Every structure is written in structure tokens, then in C-alpha cells.
Amino acid sequence: MSMTTRGTHACFGGTQGFYSHASTSTGTEMRFAVFVPPQAQQRAVPALYFLAGLTCTEETFVIKAGAQRLAAELGLMLVACDTSPRGLNIPGDSESWDFGVGAGFYLDATEAPWAKNYCMGSYVNEELPTLIESHFPARKDRRGVFGHSMGGHGALVSALRNPGRWQSLSAFAPIANPSAVPWGEKAFSNYLGQNREAWKNWDASELMRAKKFPGAILVDQGLSDQFLAPQLAPESLEAAAAISGQQLTLRRHQGYDHGYYFIQSFIADHLAHHAATLNA
């Protein structure tokens, strides 16, 4: 699996790089970013994958979250990918900000015309880790995943569907029950069709009701988040955890909204949460 280096920068004793490759999952060029901590000069290190939200790219997290200093201290590689295929010009893929380009929802579409290229579930869970572990000093037995909003949904679903692949899990303001909110209904009806039973396979709350992730899950939610009531439904995740016995810490924070100032404020807790498992 070959890749192209778009640029690298010295960063906290390590390297922040930006890359691209031809994806077999999406049939397009996919871009991604990797922070390699200084410890990787001596040994392979755990990789922590971040899935960004609607309209974001592979650059959003690495520029805005302030995570590299902490990752360098903890010896964690950070991987961030794009949020959808791009450049396909499928009719309807760029008409709205919450569907299509920049809004792949980290699932494998089953409906035309999306099924051929919108396979972000396979990309995140299979293709990208294989690529990373082929080109970077990343451990193959220690992976974590976390994300924000649509990416929080993606992280939860990825780990719940593939618990053997991911050892640690957290989320910021995730779309916790997409089957029951407008963002999810719009995406799922187009990508997955009208059978709502099929939607449950990509809904964190539905998945968690039936089975639990082996480790502890950390979720942070701002109470001044403009999307909290109409789109995020953290209470559904709590209810699901109570049914399955999932170890879930869901923290609510007064005054915090949906943006990256919120993520910056609690990123240290999330990296420490992942490091406790990945560095064990």
C-alpha cells in the first residue's frame, strides 16, 4: 500500500505529517494526518485514531485540538482521517452540509449511488489501520478510537462493532442515537435505505443495548451545545449502558458548546483515558 507525503513538520520532539493515498474502500484519494511522538524513534507506539465531525477534514483536529503536546508526553501516535470521499460529484453529494461530502457518517453505504464509494466504515476499521501499521511505527495490538459529533458516533459504532480491533474508546458530544434524530435519519435513509432495522447496525445506542464494549467508555458533553437537544441524545446512550452493563462515564459540562474550545478543554482527560489502556 503506497502513500504520498504532502508535508511534514517538527512538533514537540516528534513529527506532524500530512499524507494521501489511493483508497480501495472509497475508490478515491483519501487524505490523512499522523502525529508521530518522539518515543517512536526507539519503539513502536500505540495509535489513537480521531474521527472528526460534519464538514471537517483530516486537518481540523490536528490544528484545533491542541493534542500533540500531550500525545508527545504520553507516547501516543495520533491519526486523523477525512470525513468522506471527495471529488466524486455524485448528484446530491454537495447540496447540504450535513450529508454527502464531509458527512460520510463512518458507515458502509448499501444504497445506490452511495454504496460504491461511501464505505467509511471499512476505511476506518480496516484499510487505514493497515496502511498506518505498514508505514509508521505503530503497534498492531494497541489501537484507540475517539471522535467528535458525527465522529463521536463513528468512534462508538466502530468500537462496538469491532471490539477486538479497538482497545480504548471515548467521544466528544457524539450523535449517540442517530436513528432517532434528524442528522441520522437524513444520512441513514440515503446511505442505508428505508429499512430502519438495518439502521440499528450503525447506531451506538442500539448496539450498546445488545452488547458492551470490553473497556470503559468516556463521553463528554457540553450543556450549552446548540445541537444537544435536537441531534445528540446522550440520554439514549446512558439508557443503553444501563441495559447492557456497559462501563460508561458520561460527563456534562455547564457553559460548553459544540466546538473545539470544548474539545481543547477536555482533550487531556481523553488522551489520559486512552493512554491508561494503550500503554498498559
Side-chain angles (χ1 to χ4, degrees):
M1 301 176 73
S2 63
M3 70 176 193
T4 299
T5 301
R6 295 163 46 223
T8 59
H9 311 271
C11 185
F12 292 105
T15 303
Q16 178 63 61
F18 297 91
Y19 310 91
S20 63
H21 74 113
S23 169
T24 56
S25 299
T26 68
T28 65
E29 179 188 70
M30 292 295 293
R31 295 188 174 194
F32 63 97
V34 181
F35 171 71
V36 180
Q39 293 87 342
Q41 297 173 22
Q42 281 78 43
R43 64 181 188 276
V45 298
L48 177 56
Y49 291 70
F50 183 84
L51 308 182
L54 293 164
T55 75
C56 294
T57 72
E58 76 287 351
E59 296 184 342
T60 310
F61 173 77
V62 297
I63 292 172
K64 292 185 174 183
Q68 288 92 335
R69 177 180 62 81
L70 299 162
E73 294 173 4
L74 294 168
L76 295 177
M77 183 180 297
L78 298 175
V79 181
C81 64
D82 205 349
T83 51
S84 78
R86 296 181 189 266
L88 294 166
N89 298 315
I90 297 172
D93 72 358
S94 300
E95 293 178 359
S96 56
W97 63 276
D98 57 357
F99 177 76
V101 174
F105 270 80
Y106 304 103
L107 52 73
D108 286 345
T110 58
E111 300 298 299
W114 314 102
K116 180 179 179 180
N117 306 102
Y118 275 70
C119 297
M120 291 297 294
S122 293
Y123 180 73
V124 165
N125 286 278
E126 299 171 16
E127 184 177 6
L128 184 58
T130 299
L131 179 74
I132 294 299
E133 290 157 14
S134 297
H135 290 275
F136 297 91
R139 291 180 59 173
K140 296 182 179 181
D141 62 339
R142 283 290 184 270
R143 305 183 195 94
V145 62
F146 69 146
H148 170 230
S149 193
M150 177 186 71
H153 142 77
L156 291 168
V157 167
S158 290
L160 286 164
R161 286 171 58 95
N162 304 277
R165 181 170 290 274
W166 306 103
Q167 284 72 55
S168 61
L169 171 62
S170 72
F172 293 94
I175 306 173
N177 191 190
S179 297
V181 301
W183 277 342
E185 290 176 332
K186 181 177 182 177
F188 285 10
S189 62
N190 282 281
Y191 293 141
L192 303 174
Q194 298 301 316
N195 180 5
R196 286 179 172 261
E197 284 299 308
W199 298 7
K200 293 180 179 180
N201 294 320
W202 299 97
D203 185 309
S205 293
E206 295 290 347
L207 290 168
M208 192 180 289
R209 287 189 184 98
K211 61 180 179 179
K212 59 184 180 180
F213 179 69
I217 302 173
L218 173 63
V219 174
D220 279 308
Q221 175 63 60
L223 291 178
S224 293
D225 188 324
Q226 65 270 40
F227 301 114
L228 176 55
Q231 303 285 7
L232 303 181
E235 65 281 357
S236 296
L237 203 64
E238 286 178 314
I243 292 171
S244 66
Q246 174 67 57
Q247 186 178 352
L248 171 68
T249 300
L250 200 161
R251 308 188 301 184
R252 293 170 169 86
H253 305 278
Q254 291 285 350
Y256 287 90
D257 60 22
H258 197 68
Y260 270 80
Y261 295 116
F262 162 58
I263 293 176
Q264 288 177 25
S265 300
F266 301 102
I267 190 66
D269 292 347
H270 283 250
L271 293 191
H273 167 82
H274 288 274
T277 295
L278 299 178
N279 287 332

